[in-house]
Amino acid sequence: MSDELDVLKSVTAQLEGPSISDGGVMKDTSPDLESRYRAMIMERSGEERLKMGCSMFDAAKALMQAGILDQNPHASPAEIRRGLFMQLYGHELDVESRVKILAAIESTSHPVAK
């Protein structure tokens, strides 16, 4: 259990990262361009927008998985699942919940495509 807590502390520190000093969100897109982009997206059907979102999620997940494998080329499927969980959802849960979920991930045997 101590190893899991060390991993959690390390990943949590990486997720927190630097914050913007004024507490706001950094934007590099003009309001006009942002509005035009949103209008273009909203012209698409709900099904098209859902497919786009799913495709973006799949691409982000593949990039995260590649990063995990870059850091540890011999990562087991469970290690990859743990890394994906922590990057996607770890910052949203308290430590106790993360430990329980990581233990469940460890006990399952779902393969991850490499």
Side-chain angles (χ1 to χ4, degrees):
M1 189 69 93
S2 176
D3 290 352
E4 289 176 359
L5 289 175
D6 290 340
V7 169
L8 286 172
K9 288 177 186 176
S10 170
V11 173
T12 301
Q14 291 174 12
L15 289 172
E16 290 174 349
S19 61
I20 297 175
S21 60
D22 66 2
V25 175
M26 187 165 120
K27 289 189 170 191
D28 62 354
T29 307
S30 71
D32 179 54
L33 189 56
E34 191 172 321
S35 176
R36 288 174 42 202
Y37 176 74
R38 178 171 170 72
M40 286 173 44
I41 294 296
M42 295 310 290
E43 286 176 1
R44 296 176 179 260
S45 71
E47 180 181 355
E48 288 175 307
R49 293 193 313 265
L50 177 61
K51 285 181 180 179
M52 288 173 60
C54 291
S55 178
M56 287 186 275
F57 178 80
D58 289 344
K61 186 176 166 186
L63 288 170
M64 287 184 277
Q65 184 173 329
I68 292 165
L69 289 170
D70 186 54
Q71 290 180 355
N72 180 4
H74 305 291
S76 69
E79 290 170 318
I80 294 169
R81 286 193 309 276
R82 279 195 312 266
L84 289 172
F85 164 74
M86 288 303 297
Q87 288 182 37
L88 289 166
Y89 310 110
H91 64 285
E92 296 181 14
L93 302 167
D94 59 75
V95 173
E96 184 179 325
S97 297
R98 287 190 303 249
V99 169
K100 287 179 184 177
I101 293 170
L102 288 170
I105 289 171
E106 189 68 33
S107 69
T108 63
S109 60
H110 298 117
V112 173
K114 288 189 179 184

